[in-house]
Short mmCIF file of all heavy atoms in Angstrom, two decimals:
data_model
loop_
_atom_site.label_atom_id
_atom_site.label_comp_id
_atom_site.label_asym_id
_atom_site.label_seq_id
_atom_site.Cartn_x
_atom_site.Cartn_y
_atom_site.Cartn_z
N MET V 1 29.82 -5.21 -2.65
CA MET V 1 28.39 -5.17 -2.53
C MET V 1 28.02 -4.57 -1.17
O MET V 1 28.60 -4.89 -0.15
CB MET V 1 27.82 -6.60 -2.64
CG MET V 1 26.32 -6.61 -2.56
SD MET V 1 25.57 -8.25 -2.47
CE MET V 1 26.02 -8.98 -3.99
N SER V 2 27.01 -3.67 -1.17
CA SER V 2 26.62 -3.05 0.08
C SER V 2 25.66 -3.96 0.86
O SER V 2 24.91 -4.72 0.28
CB SER V 2 25.95 -1.70 -0.20
OG SER V 2 24.77 -1.90 -0.93
N PRO V 3 25.68 -3.87 2.18
CA PRO V 3 24.80 -4.72 2.99
C PRO V 3 23.34 -4.25 2.87
O PRO V 3 23.07 -3.10 2.58
CB PRO V 3 25.32 -4.52 4.41
CG PRO V 3 25.98 -3.19 4.39
CD PRO V 3 26.54 -3.02 3.00
N ILE V 4 22.45 -5.16 3.11
CA ILE V 4 21.03 -4.82 3.10
C ILE V 4 20.71 -4.18 4.44
O ILE V 4 20.95 -4.77 5.50
CB ILE V 4 20.18 -6.08 2.89
CG1 ILE V 4 20.47 -6.68 1.51
CG2 ILE V 4 18.70 -5.75 3.02
CD1 ILE V 4 19.79 -8.01 1.28
N ARG V 5 20.17 -2.97 4.42
CA ARG V 5 19.86 -2.26 5.65
C ARG V 5 18.36 -2.14 5.89
O ARG V 5 17.91 -2.12 7.02
CB ARG V 5 20.48 -0.87 5.62
CG ARG V 5 21.98 -0.93 5.61
CD ARG V 5 22.56 0.42 5.68
NE ARG V 5 24.01 0.33 5.58
CZ ARG V 5 24.78 1.33 5.29
NH1 ARG V 5 24.27 2.50 5.08
NH2 ARG V 5 26.08 1.14 5.22
N ARG V 6 17.61 -1.99 4.81
CA ARG V 6 16.16 -1.85 4.93
C ARG V 6 15.49 -2.68 3.86
O ARG V 6 15.97 -2.76 2.73
CB ARG V 6 15.76 -0.38 4.73
CG ARG V 6 16.22 0.50 5.85
CD ARG V 6 15.67 1.91 5.68
NE ARG V 6 16.31 2.78 6.64
CZ ARG V 6 17.31 3.59 6.35
NH1 ARG V 6 17.76 3.69 5.13
NH2 ARG V 6 17.84 4.34 7.28
N ILE V 7 14.36 -3.26 4.22
CA ILE V 7 13.58 -4.07 3.29
C ILE V 7 12.15 -3.53 3.29
O ILE V 7 11.54 -3.38 4.35
CB ILE V 7 13.57 -5.55 3.70
CG1 ILE V 7 15.00 -6.09 3.68
CG2 ILE V 7 12.66 -6.36 2.77
CD1 ILE V 7 15.13 -7.45 4.33
N LEU V 8 11.63 -3.23 2.11
CA LEU V 8 10.25 -2.79 1.95
C LEU V 8 9.48 -3.92 1.30
O LEU V 8 9.86 -4.41 0.24
CB LEU V 8 10.17 -1.54 1.08
CG LEU V 8 8.77 -1.01 0.77
CD1 LEU V 8 8.06 -0.58 2.06
CD2 LEU V 8 8.86 0.15 -0.21
N VAL V 9 8.40 -4.35 1.94
CA VAL V 9 7.62 -5.46 1.41
C VAL V 9 6.16 -5.03 1.26
O VAL V 9 5.61 -4.36 2.14
CB VAL V 9 7.75 -6.73 2.30
CG1 VAL V 9 7.27 -6.47 3.71
CG2 VAL V 9 7.01 -7.90 1.71
N HIS V 10 5.58 -5.36 0.11
CA HIS V 10 4.18 -5.04 -0.12
C HIS V 10 3.31 -6.10 0.56
O HIS V 10 3.52 -7.30 0.39
CB HIS V 10 3.88 -5.02 -1.62
CG HIS V 10 2.43 -4.78 -1.90
ND1 HIS V 10 1.55 -5.79 -2.17
CD2 HIS V 10 1.71 -3.64 -1.93
CE1 HIS V 10 0.35 -5.29 -2.36
NE2 HIS V 10 0.42 -3.99 -2.21
N VAL V 11 2.34 -5.64 1.32
CA VAL V 11 1.41 -6.53 2.00
C VAL V 11 0.07 -6.41 1.28
O VAL V 11 -0.57 -5.37 1.32
CB VAL V 11 1.24 -6.15 3.49
CG1 VAL V 11 0.24 -7.06 4.16
CG2 VAL V 11 2.58 -6.20 4.19
N GLY V 12 -0.31 -7.47 0.60
CA GLY V 12 -1.58 -7.47 -0.11
C GLY V 12 -2.72 -7.84 0.80
O GLY V 12 -2.54 -8.24 1.95
N ALA V 13 -3.92 -7.71 0.28
CA ALA V 13 -5.12 -8.04 1.06
C ALA V 13 -5.41 -9.54 1.05
O ALA V 13 -6.17 -10.03 1.86
CB ALA V 13 -6.31 -7.28 0.50
N ALA V 14 -4.79 -10.26 0.15
CA ALA V 14 -5.06 -11.70 0.01
C ALA V 14 -4.36 -12.51 1.11
O ALA V 14 -3.45 -12.03 1.78
CB ALA V 14 -4.60 -12.18 -1.36
N ASP V 15 -4.79 -13.73 1.24
CA ASP V 15 -4.16 -14.63 2.22
C ASP V 15 -2.71 -14.93 1.87
O ASP V 15 -1.95 -15.37 2.73
CB ASP V 15 -4.95 -15.94 2.30
CG ASP V 15 -6.32 -15.75 2.91
OD1 ASP V 15 -6.50 -14.77 3.66
OD2 ASP V 15 -7.20 -16.57 2.64
N THR V 16 -2.32 -14.71 0.64
CA THR V 16 -0.95 -14.99 0.20
C THR V 16 0.04 -13.93 0.70
O THR V 16 1.23 -14.04 0.43
CB THR V 16 -0.88 -15.07 -1.33
OG1 THR V 16 -1.35 -13.83 -1.88
CG2 THR V 16 -1.72 -16.22 -1.86
N ALA V 17 -0.42 -12.93 1.42
CA ALA V 17 0.46 -11.86 1.91
C ALA V 17 1.48 -12.38 2.91
O ALA V 17 2.53 -11.78 3.10
CB ALA V 17 -0.37 -10.74 2.54
N HIS V 18 1.19 -13.50 3.56
CA HIS V 18 2.12 -14.02 4.57
C HIS V 18 3.44 -14.49 3.97
O HIS V 18 4.47 -14.39 4.62
CB HIS V 18 1.47 -15.16 5.35
CG HIS V 18 0.25 -14.73 6.11
ND1 HIS V 18 0.30 -13.83 7.14
CD2 HIS V 18 -1.06 -15.06 5.97
CE1 HIS V 18 -0.90 -13.63 7.62
NE2 HIS V 18 -1.76 -14.36 6.92
N GLY V 19 3.41 -14.99 2.75
CA GLY V 19 4.63 -15.48 2.11
C GLY V 19 5.70 -14.42 1.98
O GLY V 19 6.83 -14.60 2.46
N PRO V 20 5.39 -13.28 1.34
CA PRO V 20 6.40 -12.22 1.23
C PRO V 20 6.87 -11.69 2.58
O PRO V 20 8.04 -11.36 2.75
CB PRO V 20 5.69 -11.12 0.43
CG PRO V 20 4.65 -11.86 -0.35
CD PRO V 20 4.21 -12.99 0.52
N LEU V 21 5.97 -11.65 3.56
CA LEU V 21 6.38 -11.19 4.89
C LEU V 21 7.36 -12.15 5.54
O LEU V 21 8.33 -11.73 6.17
CB LEU V 21 5.15 -11.02 5.79
CG LEU V 21 4.30 -9.78 5.52
CD1 LEU V 21 3.02 -9.83 6.35
CD2 LEU V 21 5.09 -8.53 5.83
N ARG V 22 7.14 -13.45 5.35
CA ARG V 22 8.06 -14.44 5.91
C ARG V 22 9.44 -14.33 5.26
O ARG V 22 10.46 -14.42 5.94
CB ARG V 22 7.49 -15.85 5.72
CG ARG V 22 6.38 -16.16 6.67
CD ARG V 22 5.98 -17.64 6.58
NE ARG V 22 4.75 -17.86 7.29
CZ ARG V 22 3.59 -18.15 6.72
NH1 ARG V 22 3.50 -18.30 5.43
NH2 ARG V 22 2.51 -18.32 7.44
N VAL V 23 9.45 -14.16 3.95
CA VAL V 23 10.73 -14.02 3.24
C VAL V 23 11.45 -12.76 3.70
O VAL V 23 12.65 -12.77 3.98
CB VAL V 23 10.51 -14.00 1.71
CG1 VAL V 23 11.79 -13.64 0.98
CG2 VAL V 23 9.98 -15.34 1.23
N ALA V 24 10.71 -11.65 3.81
CA ALA V 24 11.32 -10.39 4.26
C ALA V 24 11.85 -10.52 5.69
O ALA V 24 12.93 -10.02 6.00
CB ALA V 24 10.30 -9.25 4.17
N ALA V 25 11.09 -11.19 6.54
CA ALA V 25 11.54 -11.37 7.93
C ALA V 25 12.81 -12.21 7.99
O ALA V 25 13.74 -11.89 8.74
CB ALA V 25 10.43 -12.03 8.75
N ALA V 26 12.87 -13.27 7.21
CA ALA V 26 14.06 -14.13 7.20
C ALA V 26 15.26 -13.35 6.65
O ALA V 26 16.37 -13.42 7.21
CB ALA V 26 13.81 -15.38 6.36
N LEU V 27 15.06 -12.63 5.57
CA LEU V 27 16.14 -11.85 4.98
C LEU V 27 16.58 -10.74 5.93
O LEU V 27 17.78 -10.49 6.11
CB LEU V 27 15.68 -11.26 3.64
CG LEU V 27 16.73 -10.61 2.76
CD1 LEU V 27 17.83 -11.60 2.40
CD2 LEU V 27 16.07 -10.07 1.50
N GLY V 28 15.61 -10.08 6.56
CA GLY V 28 15.94 -9.02 7.52
C GLY V 28 16.71 -9.55 8.71
O GLY V 28 17.65 -8.92 9.19
N SER V 29 16.31 -10.71 9.18
CA SER V 29 17.01 -11.33 10.31
C SER V 29 18.44 -11.69 9.93
O SER V 29 19.37 -11.47 10.71
CB SER V 29 16.24 -12.57 10.77
OG SER V 29 16.90 -13.19 11.82
N ALA V 30 18.63 -12.22 8.74
CA ALA V 30 19.96 -12.63 8.29
C ALA V 30 20.90 -11.44 8.12
O ALA V 30 22.11 -11.57 8.28
CB ALA V 30 19.85 -13.40 6.98
N HIS V 31 20.34 -10.29 7.78
CA HIS V 31 21.17 -9.10 7.52
C HIS V 31 21.02 -8.03 8.58
O HIS V 31 21.54 -6.92 8.41
CB HIS V 31 20.82 -8.52 6.14
CG HIS V 31 21.23 -9.40 5.02
ND1 HIS V 31 22.48 -9.35 4.45
CD2 HIS V 31 20.55 -10.38 4.36
CE1 HIS V 31 22.56 -10.25 3.48
NE2 HIS V 31 21.40 -10.90 3.41
N ASP V 32 20.31 -8.34 9.66
CA ASP V 32 20.06 -7.35 10.72
C ASP V 32 19.50 -6.07 10.11
O ASP V 32 19.95 -4.96 10.40
CB ASP V 32 21.34 -7.07 11.50
CG ASP V 32 21.05 -6.38 12.83
OD1 ASP V 32 19.93 -6.56 13.36
OD2 ASP V 32 21.93 -5.64 13.32
N ALA V 33 18.49 -6.23 9.24
CA ALA V 33 17.91 -5.11 8.50
C ALA V 33 16.54 -4.74 9.06
O ALA V 33 15.84 -5.56 9.65
CB ALA V 33 17.77 -5.47 7.03
N GLU V 34 16.17 -3.49 8.86
CA GLU V 34 14.84 -3.01 9.21
C GLU V 34 13.85 -3.50 8.15
O GLU V 34 14.20 -3.60 6.97
CB GLU V 34 14.79 -1.49 9.23
CG GLU V 34 15.65 -0.84 10.28
CD GLU V 34 15.60 0.67 10.17
OE1 GLU V 34 14.81 1.21 9.37
OE2 GLU V 34 16.38 1.31 10.88
N ILE V 35 12.64 -3.78 8.57
CA ILE V 35 11.60 -4.19 7.63
C ILE V 35 10.44 -3.22 7.72
O ILE V 35 9.99 -2.89 8.81
CB ILE V 35 11.10 -5.62 7.93
CG1 ILE V 35 12.25 -6.61 7.82
CG2 ILE V 35 9.97 -6.00 6.99
CD1 ILE V 35 11.90 -7.99 8.29
N ALA V 36 9.99 -2.75 6.57
CA ALA V 36 8.81 -1.89 6.50
C ALA V 36 7.81 -2.54 5.56
O ALA V 36 8.19 -3.12 4.54
CB ALA V 36 9.18 -0.49 6.00
N ALA V 37 6.56 -2.47 5.92
CA ALA V 37 5.51 -3.05 5.09
C ALA V 37 4.63 -1.93 4.55
O ALA V 37 4.43 -0.90 5.20
CB ALA V 37 4.66 -4.02 5.89
N ILE V 38 4.14 -2.13 3.34
CA ILE V 38 3.26 -1.15 2.71
C ILE V 38 2.08 -1.89 2.10
O ILE V 38 2.23 -3.00 1.57
CB ILE V 38 4.00 -0.31 1.65
CG1 ILE V 38 3.10 0.78 1.11
CG2 ILE V 38 4.53 -1.18 0.54
CD1 ILE V 38 3.83 1.81 0.27
N HIS V 39 0.93 -1.30 2.21
CA HIS V 39 -0.27 -1.85 1.57
C HIS V 39 -0.76 -0.78 0.60
O HIS V 39 -1.25 0.27 1.01
CB HIS V 39 -1.34 -2.17 2.61
CG HIS V 39 -2.60 -2.68 2.00
ND1 HIS V 39 -2.70 -3.95 1.47
CD2 HIS V 39 -3.81 -2.10 1.83
CE1 HIS V 39 -3.92 -4.13 1.00
NE2 HIS V 39 -4.61 -3.02 1.20
N ALA V 40 -0.61 -1.03 -0.67
CA ALA V 40 -1.00 -0.06 -1.70
C ALA V 40 -2.27 -0.53 -2.39
O ALA V 40 -2.44 -1.71 -2.66
CB ALA V 40 0.12 0.10 -2.73
N VAL V 41 -3.16 0.42 -2.63
CA VAL V 41 -4.42 0.12 -3.31
C VAL V 41 -4.64 1.12 -4.44
O VAL V 41 -4.09 2.22 -4.42
CB VAL V 41 -5.61 0.15 -2.34
CG1 VAL V 41 -5.51 -0.94 -1.30
CG2 VAL V 41 -5.74 1.50 -1.68
N GLU V 42 -5.44 0.74 -5.40
CA GLU V 42 -5.78 1.65 -6.50
C GLU V 42 -6.76 2.69 -6.00
O GLU V 42 -7.61 2.40 -5.16
CB GLU V 42 -6.42 0.88 -7.64
CG GLU V 42 -5.46 -0.04 -8.36
CD GLU V 42 -6.11 -0.67 -9.58
OE1 GLU V 42 -6.77 0.06 -10.34
OE2 GLU V 42 -5.95 -1.87 -9.74
N PRO V 43 -6.67 3.92 -6.51
CA PRO V 43 -7.63 4.94 -6.13
C PRO V 43 -9.04 4.53 -6.55
O PRO V 43 -9.22 3.83 -7.54
CB PRO V 43 -7.19 6.18 -6.90
CG PRO V 43 -5.82 5.89 -7.37
CD PRO V 43 -5.66 4.41 -7.42
N ALA V 44 -10.02 5.00 -5.80
CA ALA V 44 -11.41 4.70 -6.12
C ALA V 44 -11.80 5.36 -7.45
O ALA V 44 -11.30 6.43 -7.79
CB ALA V 44 -12.32 5.20 -5.00
N SER V 45 -12.68 4.73 -8.17
CA SER V 45 -13.12 5.25 -9.46
C SER V 45 -14.60 5.60 -9.39
O SER V 45 -15.39 4.91 -8.74
CB SER V 45 -12.89 4.21 -10.56
OG SER V 45 -13.47 4.64 -11.75
N ALA V 46 -14.96 6.67 -10.06
CA ALA V 46 -16.37 7.08 -10.10
C ALA V 46 -16.87 7.14 -11.54
O ALA V 46 -17.79 7.86 -11.86
CB ALA V 46 -16.52 8.43 -9.43
N ALA V 47 -16.28 6.38 -12.43
CA ALA V 47 -16.60 6.45 -13.86
C ALA V 47 -18.02 5.98 -14.17
O ALA V 47 -18.57 6.34 -15.19
CB ALA V 47 -15.59 5.62 -14.65
N TYR V 48 -18.61 5.19 -13.32
CA TYR V 48 -19.93 4.64 -13.58
C TYR V 48 -21.07 5.57 -13.18
O TYR V 48 -22.23 5.27 -13.40
CB TYR V 48 -20.09 3.29 -12.85
CG TYR V 48 -19.91 3.41 -11.36
CD1 TYR V 48 -21.00 3.63 -10.52
CD2 TYR V 48 -18.65 3.31 -10.80
CE1 TYR V 48 -20.83 3.74 -9.16
CE2 TYR V 48 -18.47 3.43 -9.44
CZ TYR V 48 -19.56 3.64 -8.63
OH TYR V 48 -19.39 3.76 -7.29
N LEU V 49 -20.77 6.71 -12.58
CA LEU V 49 -21.79 7.63 -12.11
C LEU V 49 -22.10 8.72 -13.13
O LEU V 49 -21.34 8.94 -14.07
CB LEU V 49 -21.32 8.29 -10.80
CG LEU V 49 -21.00 7.33 -9.66
CD1 LEU V 49 -20.40 8.08 -8.50
CD2 LEU V 49 -22.26 6.59 -9.22
N THR V 50 -23.21 9.41 -12.93
CA THR V 50 -23.56 10.54 -13.81
C THR V 50 -22.52 11.64 -13.62
O THR V 50 -21.85 11.71 -12.58
CB THR V 50 -24.96 11.08 -13.46
OG1 THR V 50 -24.93 11.61 -12.14
CG2 THR V 50 -26.02 10.01 -13.60
N PRO V 51 -22.39 12.53 -14.59
CA PRO V 51 -21.39 13.60 -14.48
C PRO V 51 -21.56 14.45 -13.23
O PRO V 51 -20.57 14.86 -12.61
CB PRO V 51 -21.61 14.43 -15.74
CG PRO V 51 -22.21 13.47 -16.72
CD PRO V 51 -23.04 12.53 -15.91
N GLU V 52 -22.79 14.74 -12.85
CA GLU V 52 -23.02 15.57 -11.68
C GLU V 52 -22.55 14.88 -10.40
O GLU V 52 -21.93 15.48 -9.52
CB GLU V 52 -24.51 15.92 -11.54
CG GLU V 52 -25.05 16.77 -12.67
CD GLU V 52 -25.39 15.97 -13.93
OE1 GLU V 52 -25.55 14.73 -13.84
OE2 GLU V 52 -25.47 16.59 -14.99
N VAL V 53 -22.87 13.60 -10.29
CA VAL V 53 -22.51 12.85 -9.09
C VAL V 53 -21.03 12.48 -9.11
O VAL V 53 -20.41 12.36 -8.06
CB VAL V 53 -23.40 11.61 -8.96
CG1 VAL V 53 -23.01 10.77 -7.77
CG2 VAL V 53 -24.86 12.01 -8.85
N SER V 54 -20.47 12.33 -10.29
CA SER V 54 -19.05 11.96 -10.40
C SER V 54 -18.15 12.96 -9.69
O SER V 54 -17.20 12.57 -9.01
CB SER V 54 -18.63 11.85 -11.86
OG SER V 54 -19.19 10.71 -12.44
N ALA V 55 -18.44 14.24 -9.85
CA ALA V 55 -17.60 15.27 -9.21
C ALA V 55 -17.62 15.11 -7.70
O ALA V 55 -16.58 15.19 -7.03
CB ALA V 55 -18.07 16.66 -9.62
N LEU V 56 -18.80 14.87 -7.14
CA LEU V 56 -18.91 14.67 -5.70
C LEU V 56 -18.21 13.38 -5.26
O LEU V 56 -17.53 13.34 -4.24
CB LEU V 56 -20.38 14.63 -5.27
CG LEU V 56 -21.16 15.93 -5.46
CD1 LEU V 56 -22.64 15.71 -5.17
CD2 LEU V 56 -20.59 17.02 -4.57
N ALA V 57 -18.38 12.32 -6.05
CA ALA V 57 -17.76 11.04 -5.72
C ALA V 57 -16.24 11.13 -5.81
O ALA V 57 -15.53 10.57 -4.97
CB ALA V 57 -18.28 9.95 -6.66
N ILE V 58 -15.74 11.83 -6.81
CA ILE V 58 -14.29 11.99 -6.96
C ILE V 58 -13.72 12.77 -5.78
O ILE V 58 -12.67 12.43 -5.23
CB ILE V 58 -13.94 12.66 -8.30
CG1 ILE V 58 -14.22 11.69 -9.44
CG2 ILE V 58 -12.50 13.15 -8.33
CD1 ILE V 58 -14.17 12.31 -10.82
N GLU V 59 -14.43 13.81 -5.36
CA GLU V 59 -13.99 14.59 -4.21
C GLU V 59 -13.97 13.73 -2.94
O GLU V 59 -13.01 13.75 -2.17
CB GLU V 59 -14.92 15.79 -4.01
CG GLU V 59 -14.53 16.69 -2.86
CD GLU V 59 -15.51 17.84 -2.70
OE1 GLU V 59 -16.01 18.35 -3.72
OE2 GLU V 59 -15.76 18.21 -1.54
N ALA V 60 -15.01 12.95 -2.73
CA ALA V 60 -15.07 12.07 -1.56
C ALA V 60 -13.98 11.00 -1.63
O ALA V 60 -13.33 10.70 -0.62
CB ALA V 60 -16.44 11.42 -1.46
N ALA V 61 -13.78 10.42 -2.82
CA ALA V 61 -12.74 9.40 -2.97
C ALA V 61 -11.36 9.99 -2.72
O ALA V 61 -10.50 9.33 -2.14
CB ALA V 61 -12.82 8.78 -4.37
N SER V 62 -11.15 11.21 -3.13
CA SER V 62 -9.86 11.87 -2.89
C SER V 62 -9.61 12.03 -1.40
O SER V 62 -8.49 11.82 -0.92
CB SER V 62 -9.81 13.23 -3.58
OG SER V 62 -9.82 13.07 -4.97
N ARG V 63 -10.66 12.39 -0.66
CA ARG V 63 -10.51 12.52 0.79
C ARG V 63 -10.17 11.18 1.42
O ARG V 63 -9.30 11.08 2.30
CB ARG V 63 -11.79 13.08 1.41
CG ARG V 63 -11.96 14.58 1.22
CD ARG V 63 -13.03 15.13 2.14
NE ARG V 63 -14.32 14.46 1.98
CZ ARG V 63 -15.30 14.83 1.16
NH1 ARG V 63 -15.13 15.89 0.38
NH2 ARG V 63 -16.43 14.16 1.10
N VAL V 64 -10.84 10.13 0.95
CA VAL V 64 -10.57 8.78 1.48
C VAL V 64 -9.14 8.36 1.14
O VAL V 64 -8.42 7.83 1.98
CB VAL V 64 -11.59 7.77 0.92
CG1 VAL V 64 -11.17 6.35 1.23
CG2 VAL V 64 -12.97 8.06 1.47
N ASP V 65 -8.71 8.61 -0.11
CA ASP V 65 -7.35 8.25 -0.51
C ASP V 65 -6.31 8.99 0.32
O ASP V 65 -5.31 8.42 0.73
CB ASP V 65 -7.14 8.53 -2.00
CG ASP V 65 -7.90 7.57 -2.90
OD1 ASP V 65 -8.27 6.45 -2.42
OD2 ASP V 65 -8.13 7.90 -4.08
N ARG V 66 -6.55 10.29 0.57
CA ARG V 66 -5.61 11.05 1.39
C ARG V 66 -5.55 10.49 2.81
O ARG V 66 -4.48 10.37 3.40
CB ARG V 66 -6.00 12.54 1.43
CG ARG V 66 -5.54 13.34 0.23
CD ARG V 66 -5.67 14.83 0.46
NE ARG V 66 -7.06 15.24 0.74
CZ ARG V 66 -7.96 15.53 -0.17
NH1 ARG V 66 -7.65 15.45 -1.46
NH2 ARG V 66 -9.17 15.90 0.17
N ALA V 67 -6.70 10.15 3.36
CA ALA V 67 -6.74 9.58 4.72
C ALA V 67 -6.01 8.24 4.77
O ALA V 67 -5.29 7.97 5.73
CB ALA V 67 -8.19 9.42 5.16
N ARG V 68 -6.17 7.43 3.72
CA ARG V 68 -5.46 6.13 3.67
C ARG V 68 -3.97 6.34 3.61
O ARG V 68 -3.21 5.62 4.26
CB ARG V 68 -5.91 5.33 2.44
CG ARG V 68 -7.01 4.37 2.72
CD ARG V 68 -7.12 3.41 1.60
NE ARG V 68 -7.99 3.97 0.59
CZ ARG V 68 -8.28 3.41 -0.57
NH1 ARG V 68 -7.77 2.26 -0.89
NH2 ARG V 68 -9.08 3.97 -1.42
N ARG V 69 -3.53 7.32 2.81
CA ARG V 69 -2.09 7.60 2.70
C ARG V 69 -1.54 8.08 4.03
O ARG V 69 -0.45 7.73 4.44
CB ARG V 69 -1.82 8.64 1.63
CG ARG V 69 -1.81 8.10 0.23
CD ARG V 69 -1.23 9.09 -0.73
NE ARG V 69 -1.85 10.40 -0.66
CZ ARG V 69 -2.86 10.82 -1.41
NH1 ARG V 69 -3.38 10.03 -2.31
NH2 ARG V 69 -3.36 12.04 -1.27
N ASP V 70 -2.29 8.96 4.70
CA ASP V 70 -1.84 9.51 5.99
C ASP V 70 -1.78 8.41 7.02
O ASP V 70 -0.90 8.32 7.82
CB ASP V 70 -2.76 10.62 6.46
CG ASP V 70 -2.68 11.84 5.54
OD1 ASP V 70 -1.72 11.96 4.77
OD2 ASP V 70 -3.61 12.69 5.61
#
């Protein structure tokens, strides 16, 4: 079995995010592993807008999503 070298943990927006981080920290400490955290969100939706406004909203949401990823 190969040793654990890196651990990726999802950090949610809820208060329950501390639990997975604690587990990852303990596991990382035990294996001398790097820990990386990621916060993933769903892309914004513009389905509720009129067709004309939807195109503008989708473009703006895409810019926001790209900025969040960067």
Side-chain angles (χ1 to χ4, degrees):
M1 181 188 297
S2 63
I4 296 173
R5 295 184 183 163
R6 292 186 190 101
I7 299 169
L8 177 63
V9 60
H10 177 263
V11 178
D15 292 336
T16 58
H18 298 295
L21 284 172
R22 285 188 191 110
V23 171
L27 190 59
S29 179
H31 292 272
D32 196 26
E34 296 177 7
I35 300 172
I38 185 169
H39 178 73
V41 295
E42 291 186 45
S45 173
Y48 59 92
L49 302 173
T50 64
E52 295 81 19
V53 177
S54 288
L56 295 173
I58 290 169
E59 182 181 324
S62 293
R63 283 195 305 269
V64 169
D65 289 339
R66 278 193 301 274
R68 266 195 273 177
R69 280 193 308 266
D70 294 342

